[in-house]
Amino acid sequence: MSSALADRLADVDARIADAARAAGRDLAGITRIVVTKFHPASLVRDLHALGVRDVGENRQQELTAKRDELASLPDLRWHFIGQAQTNKARAVRAAADVVHSVDRSRIADALDAVGSGDPLDVLLQVNLTDDTGRGGVAPAEVEALAAHVAGLASLRVRGVMAVAPLDEDPAHAFERLRRSADVVRTVVPEATWISAGMTGDFPEAIAMGATHLRIGSAITGPRPVRG
Ligand SMILES: *Cc1c(COP(=O)(O)O)cnc(C)c1O
């Protein structure tokens, strides 16, 4: 295993600890998800050996393949962070422990329809941009979506998720996410998770109150190019 990977992981974890301290937050309330998309399953294996237990993928096929290949690794949680398609709901549900990207009733209904057994943890993805073509529900519609998903027996609303826009101070954008998180908690009081913060903005996300960070390249190194 490359010691560079261990070094980058340790460096990011030190920066997370610094940001938590600066914000007066308990590290125990922050889950660091390593985003491994486009990297081979062997990288996930190496990360697991370094103690990583939460990994994120944004494509269903890649998630399914890696989960199958690494089924023997204990205590590994798979977070699906990509756009979910309704016709892939069964596969997503089979492979993901948490789905971060529920942004419309249709995808929630599709995930619910294929559910049996334990409820699936889901986050409501909020669009922090003005571009309605981007993933995520508009902040004005978060409350209605939360009410809809809360009514689905096989899904458990845990909170909200967002990606900060590229053209705005992330701290400013994350304030809107925090307000959406507050709105969701008026509907589902136990929905306390806030998934935010990537390589370029995780300190700001921690300052805002993020509970789940999705960090890729700062830990994995650059992603292999994928067509
Ligand atoms: C790829 C990705 C990340 C991680 O991005 P980095 O900038 O490499 O940390 C986080 N969230 C989502 C939704 C992603 O697609």
Side-chain angles (χ1 to χ4, degrees):
M1 183 190 313
S2 80
S3 65
L5 182 65
D7 289 348
R8 287 191 300 263
L9 180 65
D11 177 61
V12 166
D13 283 348
R15 292 172 60 202
I16 291 170
D18 285 347
R21 201 174 306 114
R25 295 189 52 198
D26 186 348
L27 258 187
I30 299 173
T31 300
R32 176 255 296 119
I33 299 163
V34 183
V35 177
T36 49
K37 65 189 183 197
F38 302 6
H39 288 282
S42 59
L43 181 86
V44 180
R45 196 182 291 282
D46 290 346
L47 287 164
H48 185 271
L50 292 169
V52 169
R53 293 296 177 266
D54 290 273
V55 292
E57 289 288 335
N58 73 336
R59 295 183 185 194
Q60 173 270 319
Q61 277 179 303
E62 194 175 341
L63 167 68
T64 300
K66 285 183 191 165
R67 186 176 183 128
D68 286 352
E69 183 171 346
L70 300 172
S72 62
L73 291 183
D75 304 325
L76 193 55
R77 282 176 297 273
W78 294 90
H79 297 256
F80 184 67
I81 62 173
Q83 290 269 79
Q85 290 170 284
T86 50
N87 63 339
K88 300 290 174 54
R90 186 179 299 278
V92 167
R93 184 148 190 160
D97 297 290
V98 184
V99 173
H100 289 231
S101 45
V102 169
D103 62 357
R104 57 200 191 280
S105 299
R106 257 165 52 78
I107 188 65
D109 292 345
L111 288 167
D112 182 57
V114 295
S116 60
D118 290 339
L120 175 68
D121 286 332
V122 300
L123 301 176
L124 307 182
Q125 184 177 352
V126 180
N127 183 358
L128 300 178
T129 74
D130 295 328
D131 178 356
T132 53
R134 299 287 294 271
V137 62
E141 287 154 29
V142 166
E143 186 173 359
L145 182 63
H148 180 86
V149 182
L152 301 176
S154 82
L155 303 186
R156 181 162 50 181
V157 180
R158 303 306 301 255
V160 294
M161 175 274 214
V163 176
L166 292 173
D167 58 355
E168 185 185 0
D169 170 12
H172 193 246
F174 287 148
E175 275 309 310
R176 293 200 295 289
L177 180 61
R178 201 188 160 100
R179 285 200 291 278
S180 286
D182 292 344
V183 167
V184 170
R185 280 204 316 283
T186 66
V187 181
V188 184
E190 62 276 18
T192 55
W193 297 6
I194 302 178
S195 168
M198 307 174 28
T199 288
D201 55 23
F202 69 84
E204 289 88 348
I206 291 168
M208 171 276 292
T211 62
H212 291 68
L213 316 174
R214 307 178 313 270
I215 304 177
S217 45
I219 295 171
T220 63
R223 279 184 280 278
V225 176
R226 188 58 84 81

